[in-house]
Amino acid sequence: MTAERSIEVHALHWRGVDIEITFERDWLSIAREHDLAASHLTVTALQPKRARLPITETGYRSHFLHFEDVDQAGGPATYVEAWLDQMAQSREWIDYEESSRQLSLF
């Protein structure tokens, strides 16, 4: 018997990018069968479409984690926002943002 999947959909606006977040607390219902706590989170940049984010160059990220991490953060949108904010402090992201703001003649 296949269990019904429960996938939450959340929206986030982060630094000018509209983002869709999906969260499946019990990914494919495997926790009940295998005593695991595998959750699945996706992050997709919608507008601008597939815009680069600090956690993905393609505008899409699939991430597996424990549901308690998401709960402790305050939910999927809050978790993703904190993740983006943390990764936006990296030298790579700062350099990317700076180069994106500057006009290039070549």
Side-chain angles (χ1 to χ4, degrees), residues 15-62:
R15 297 189 184 184
V17 180
D18 290 327
I19 298 170
E20 178 182 80
I21 301 159
T22 65
F23 179 65
E24 187 171 8
R25 177 174 296 277
D26 181 10
W27 182 65
L28 301 178
S29 302
I30 64 172
R32 291 181 211 121
E33 297 175 22
H34 302 287
D35 196 30
L36 298 172
S39 295
H40 185 228
L41 184 78
T42 67
V43 179
T44 307
L46 297 178
Q47 189 63 23
K49 188 175 182 177
R50 295 294 183 123
R52 183 174 177 175
L53 297 168
I55 61 173
T56 172
E57 292 182 9
T58 65
Y60 175 80
R61 177 75 183 256
S62 173

Side-chain angles (χ1 to χ4, degrees), residues 14-15 54 82-95 97:
W14 186 82
R15 297 189 184 184
W83 188 17
L84 290 167
D85 288 342
Q86 178 185 14
M87 296 305 292
Q89 295 175 30
S90 72
R91 173 55 35 204
E92 179 184 354
W93 183 256
I94 292 168
D95 290 346
E97 282 191 314

